[in-house]
Amino acid sequence: CLSRYAVIAAGLVTLFLKNFKAPGCSPRDEVSESDVESLLTQRNYTIAIGPASRLPQDAANRIGATLPGGGTGVDGTKKLRSSMKYINGSLDDFNRYINQKFANVTPGGFYLGENGSPPTFAYKANDGGAGDISLATITQNALDTLLTNVSISSQFQSFDVPWAQGAGRNLQLIVYFGLAMAAYPAFFALYPTLERLRSVRQLHYSNGVRSICLWSAYVSFDFIIVVALAAFAIAAGYQAVMFLLYFIMYLSIQTYAPVNKVDSDILLGHFIMSAFTPSGNLIRAMFVALNVFSTDCRNRSIESYPGTITLYGGPILYLILQSIFLFGILLWWDSGSIWDKVRGRKYKSNDAEEVDRTEDEIATEEKRVSSTPDDGLRCLHLTKAFGSNVAVQDVTFGVKRGEVFALLGPNGAGKSTTISLIRGDIRPSRSIGEIFVGSTPVSKHRAAARNSLGVCPQVDACDQMTVLEHLRFYARVRGVENVEKNVQEGIRAVGLESFQHRMAAKLSGGNKRKLSLAIALMGNPAVLLLDEPSSGMDVCAKRVMWRTLASVVPGRSLVLTTHSMEEADALADRAGIMGRRMLALGTSEYLRKKHGDRYHVHLITTSAPHTPPEEMERIKAWISSNVEGAIVEQKTYHGQLRFNVPAHRTEIEKSKGRASADAVNDANDQTRGIGALFTMLESHKGELGYEYYSVSLTTLDQVFLSIVGKHNIEEENYGQETKKKGFWKWLIGK
């Protein structure tokens, strides 16, 4: 794509520079002199004359006598006579001939008039420039000579044009070449933009790639070749618009400024506009190269040193400074420097938005994390707002070394935003929020913190490489000593042996997740961030991944986000349930006891699925009146009934408003709770008419639904109408 573009630009330059002659600085070289135009200056001409009946026999002599030198003698008159085409007939016949032979009639023709038809002349008017009028004067003068029988000698010459010869072609070259060069730099934005859209760059940064190294590689590569699509339009559009504005500015000053101030005004306009666009420097350099408008001239002679600031020196200096400045902007924008605080909008907390915590374990976790700096990962008071939407609100938790911490929550709860905050992709909206990877604060030393992070992002960031090339790249970025051995171990650990030579973009969704996991494990990072690592995997692949993660947990802090409660239950030592803020936190067993410590019973009647409603109502009534603390589901399912009871008798008694007798009785009740329940179910089997039953503890799914329902947390955009954005909000991306 780029090579074709370069060939087209080179072809245009070659076309316009053919037979190019650089103008000088003398007064004669700075203007375009026009030639004297007459019938004698035309190389090949044919004059159509009619009607033949009205033409005098000496018509050629009369017209020749009006030419300079009397038609240049006998030969000139003979040539004139042979070039005259006589038309017989009316004015319509004359017009018909002109319409049919207009390409051969030069400089024109005339009809002397007859039978009421007025004298009429036609001339060739498509030569451009002064030739349009000169051919008209030549034709009309011949007509007037024959009509009046008076020899009228005339010549035509245009005024000199205050532009050098070929200035028009030079300006065309500058316009076409300038527009081509305005679009050319936009090609350099294509591949970096594709990497950003595919989240490849974020994965680079999260795995230890430095901004200076990444952008230096882009720049080095761009000097050789660049490939294809997106910020292209912005870059090309801006450069093209600035190019045209500069060009208009230059020509306007050249045309309308006072003669004694043209040079100074052009220099002033150039240095002001060129500071904002490289296109201005390109145009100035081309003006100097072609000496357009005598740009190279100083005191009627060519400037001896082309590197002066008003010739090539200014554009070269400006381009160097602009390259350094724009490269610095890129590094500043993508680096975790202290100036990063300046560019982001701060989230202003509102007391009305602060929610009092009612869960003791959250306050306990805050105290523990604040006072214990030994955790592999610590997140303190994280808050992130996007405009008026608060995605994460005052979240605090820590992950010990050798611990798996699961972040759970519905869609839009802030899990992925929390992961992005830990990665350093975005900054907290409050200055008090901080993340520590080991003892390294992410906000102050982001690059150093990322060296200890391994990230499996929610979106598979696959580049245009094979599986093997991906892992080799990230192994070298991590500084792994034995690259090939570690790469093969990573491939074996996630089960990608059969796909190691396949392009990553061609992998299935589940295998892409395996590749992302292998990249995260590369280099043995101290902290692993796994954002829904098992999405898209089949059941067998999930079990393999679980075993892999279990083997790498010792000595590392692992944060896992998932929608699978089974996965969280199998892998996590502790779990935190989010709904913008932290709603509950603790081990799976602790969360079950606090938010759902009950036995869930499922009965199937003997007559199912044809059990009459009256029988189901009888069973529900018996359970409600005879089983303490029982909560019966009102809906039945064709002879199936569900209810739940407290897991410990002490809790049943408390729910009924009674106090336990003493600690010994409490312990006895707790140990015999499940046994008493089974005894009751077996003894009343025939009386109630059910054949099968099952008893299960509260699952993490049920705990999750209980906590989310308790805090009225809904999924993102659930039950909300889509509102149309205003124009300005759409424009700024809110």
Side-chain angles (χ1 to χ4, degrees):
C1 181
L2 187 60
S3 60
R4 294 175 183 174
Y5 190 83
V7 168
I8 293 173
L12 285 174
V13 173
T14 304
L15 178 65
F16 282 100
L17 289 181
K18 186 178 181 180
N19 300 323
F20 172 76
K21 181 180 180 182
C25 293
S26 65
R28 181 179 293 275
D29 292 332
E30 294 178 0
V31 298
S32 297
E33 296 180 342
S34 300
D35 294 329
V36 176
E37 299 288 342
S38 69
L39 195 58
L40 294 178
T41 62
Q42 309 304 312
R43 294 182 179 178
N44 297 309
Y45 56 89
T46 299
I47 304 176
I49 304 176
S53 58
R54 288 203 56 190
L55 286 174
Q57 293 183 354
D58 59 346
N61 294 331
R62 292 187 186 183
I63 295 174
T66 64
L67 301 177
T72 65
V74 177
D75 292 338
T77 303
K78 184 177 179 181
K79 179 182 178 181
L80 177 61
R81 186 178 293 111
S82 64
S83 299
M84 296 172 67
K85 174 64 178 178
Y86 300 102
I87 308 284
N88 293 314
S90 63
L91 179 60
D92 292 336
D93 296 323
F94 173 79
N95 290 334
R96 191 178 301 109
Y97 179 84
I98 294 295
N99 290 333
Q100 293 175 353
K101 305 289 186 179
F102 63 87
N104 300 322
V105 177
T106 305
F110 52 85
Y111 187 80
L112 296 175
E114 187 180 43
N115 299 327
S117 298
T120 305
F121 74 94
Y123 66 96
K124 188 175 182 180
N126 60 341
D127 278 351
D132 298 347
I133 304 301
S134 65
L135 297 183
T137 59
I138 293 171
T139 306
Q140 186 175 12
N141 186 64
L143 172 64
D144 293 341
T145 298
L146 296 182
L147 286 176
T148 61
N149 200 22
V150 175
S151 296
I152 305 172
S153 180
S154 69
Q155 298 182 78
F156 182 90
Q157 183 177 16
S158 300
F159 288 111
D160 292 342
V161 178
W163 285 8
Q165 286 282 357
R169 289 175 59 84
N170 293 343
L171 291 177
Q172 288 183 62
L173 169 62
I174 292 171
V175 169
Y176 297 144
F177 187 76
L179 289 175
M181 292 299 102
Y184 174 76
F187 283 102
F188 294 92
L190 297 181
Y191 188 73
T193 302
L194 286 176
E195 282 198 340
R196 182 184 62 80
L197 293 176
R198 295 172 179 171
S199 301
V200 174
R201 192 183 309 162
Q202 287 85 342
L203 189 62
H204 288 342
Y205 290 153
S206 299
N207 284 279
V209 177
R210 302 293 182 99
S211 298
I212 180 67
C213 299
L214 181 66
W215 286 103
S216 296
Y218 283 145
V219 171
S220 301
F221 180 73
D222 290 343
F223 278 118
I224 306 171
I225 188 172
V226 178
V227 244
L229 198 157
F232 177 84
I234 296 176
Y238 170 77
Q239 293 293 344
V241 169
M242 296 304 294
F243 168 82
L244 293 175
L245 289 177
Y246 182 96
F247 201 75
I248 292 170
M249 177 273 297
Y250 204 104
L251 294 182
S252 297
I253 295 176
Q254 187 74 29
T255 304
Y256 300 111
V259 176
N260 60 332
K261 292 185 177 181
V262 168
D263 292 341
S264 60
D265 288 354
I266 284 178
L267 285 176
L268 179 63
H270 160 70
F271 284 113
I272 291 176
M273 285 204 67
S274 295
F276 297 98
T277 172
S279 297
N281 299 298
L282 173 68
I283 301 175
R284 179 68 180 181
M286 294 194 68
F287 279 172
V288 173
L290 300 174
N291 196 20
V292 178
F293 302 127
S294 304
T295 308
D296 298 352
C297 298
R298 299 293 181 272
N299 299 322
R300 299 299 181 187
S301 62
I302 299 291
E303 174 67 56
S304 59
Y305 177 58
T308 182
I309 198 70
T310 57
L311 297 181
Y312 289 116
I316 292 174
L317 177 63
Y318 264 28
L319 288 172
I320 293 173
L321 294 177
Q322 286 168 347
S323 299
I324 296 173
F325 175 75
L326 294 175
F327 190 69
I329 289 291
L330 277 177
L331 295 182
W332 169 75
W333 189 259
D334 261 7
S335 299
S337 63
I338 57 173
W339 298 105
D340 206 13
K341 299 179 180 179
V342 178
R343 76 173 190 225
R345 290 187 300 174
K346 302 302 179 186
Y347 164 74
K348 296 182 180 179
S349 62
N350 192 335
D351 292 338
E353 296 178 355
E354 297 294 336
V355 181
D356 294 333
R357 295 183 181 86
T358 57
E359 309 300 340
D360 295 336
E361 68 268 18
I362 296 175
T364 303
E365 179 72 1
E366 282 191 6
K367 293 178 182 178
R368 186 191 72 79
V369 174
S370 301
S371 59
T372 307
D374 297 331
D375 288 357
L377 174 67
R378 291 184 297 147
C379 301
L380 300 170
H381 304 290
L382 296 185
T383 297
K384 183 60 184 179
F386 300 95
S388 59
N389 178 36
V390 182
V392 177
Q393 181 177 336
D394 201 13
V395 169
T396 297
F397 66 90
V399 185
K400 302 174 185 177
R401 289 178 171 84
E403 181 183 51
V404 179
F405 185 85
L407 273 179
L408 309 176
N411 291 330
K415 305 185 299 298
S416 294
T417 302
T418 302
I419 294 293
S420 296
L421 287 166
I422 298 173
R423 292 171 61 175
D425 293 341
I426 56 178
R427 296 182 58 85
S429 297
R430 294 174 61 182
S431 58
I432 62 172
E434 187 56 275
I435 302 111
F436 291 90
V437 177
S439 59
T440 306
V442 173
S443 63
K444 296 179 181 178
H445 305 287
R446 185 169 63 174
R450 282 172 166 170
N451 287 332
S452 301
L453 284 178
V455 179
C456 176
Q458 188 175 24
V459 178
D460 298 304
C462 296
D463 211 339
Q464 300 300 315
M465 295 187 291
T466 65
V467 171
L468 205 58
E469 290 168 343
H470 269 89
L471 294 178
R472 284 172 179 166
F473 171 78
Y474 286 104
R476 292 188 176 98
V477 167
R478 289 286 190 185
V480 174
E481 293 183 359
N482 194 336
V483 172
E484 291 302 322
K485 179 181 178 181
N486 280 270
V487 166
Q488 291 302 324
E489 285 295 322
I491 290 175
R492 184 191 59 77
V494 297
L496 285 177
E497 297 96 326
S498 303
F499 306 98
Q500 57 183 314
H501 298 294
R502 184 173 295 183
M503 294 297 292
K506 302 297 183 182
L507 295 174
S508 65
N511 285 332
K512 285 181 180 178
R513 301 305 294 152
K514 292 179 182 179
L515 175 59
S516 295
L517 178 60
I519 291 172
L521 294 173
M522 192 58 60
N524 295 323
V527 177
L528 278 174
L529 305 178
L530 308 179
D531 197 356
E532 300 183 21
S534 62
S535 61
M537 289 187 182
D538 58 67
V539 177
C540 294
K542 281 186 180 181
R543 297 302 187 275
V544 173
M545 186 203 73
W546 292 358
R547 289 196 297 270
T548 301
L549 292 179
S551 66
V552 301
V553 167
R556 295 181 180 81
S557 301
L558 195 150
V559 179
L560 170 74
T561 71
T562 180
H563 287 290
S564 170
M565 299 301 132
E566 180 190 13
E567 184 171 77
D569 212 3
L571 293 176
D573 299 296
R574 291 191 304 154
I577 298 177
M578 290 185 63
R580 293 194 309 175
R581 59 193 179 92
M582 194 67 75
L583 305 178
L585 187 147
T587 64
S588 298
E589 186 63 27
Y590 172 83
L591 293 175
R592 282 193 187 95
K593 286 184 177 180
K594 182 169 183 179
H595 299 281
D597 193 18
R598 304 178 74 84
Y599 291 124
H600 295 262
V601 182
H602 185 185
L603 303 179
I604 302 177
T605 61
T606 306
S607 58
H610 306 293
T611 308
E614 296 79 12
E615 184 176 346
M616 299 303 298
E617 290 299 326
R618 182 179 64 83
I619 297 174
K620 287 197 292 184
W622 189 93
I623 293 172
S624 299
S625 60
N626 291 279
V627 182
E628 289 184 300
I631 300 175
V632 183
E633 292 185 9
Q634 293 303 310
K635 192 171 182 179
T636 59
Y637 305 90
H638 303 285
Q640 300 183 58
L641 176 69
R642 292 174 182 166
F643 68 94
N644 61 76
V645 297
H648 303 297
R649 293 286 298 275
T650 52
E651 295 185 9
I652 297 175
E653 293 169 3
K654 288 177 184 177
S655 68
K656 296 292 186 178
R658 305 169 189 164
S660 300
D662 51 40
V664 176
N665 290 335
D666 287 347
N668 291 336
D669 286 340
Q670 289 177 15
T671 55
R672 70 167 187 258
I674 185 68
L677 179 60
F678 272 105
T679 300
M680 184 273 294
L681 290 171
E682 280 292 332
S683 61
H684 294 87
K685 212 173 184 183
E687 177 187 350
L688 296 178
Y690 56 85
E691 186 173 1
Y692 306 105
Y693 65 87
S694 66
V695 180
S696 63
L697 282 171
T698 303
T699 64
L700 194 57
D701 279 290
Q702 293 165 328
V703 171
F704 173 78
L705 293 174
S706 173
I707 295 172
V708 168
K710 175 182 175 182
H711 292 85
N712 298 317
I713 303 298
E714 293 182 346
E715 288 197 5
E716 188 176 23
N717 299 326
Y718 177 80
Q720 297 179 2
E721 294 184 1
T722 303
K723 296 181 179 179
K724 292 184 178 180
K725 293 182 179 181
F727 172 75
W728 291 109
K729 287 190 176 182
W730 171 82
L731 187 63
I732 64 177
K734 282 189 176 182

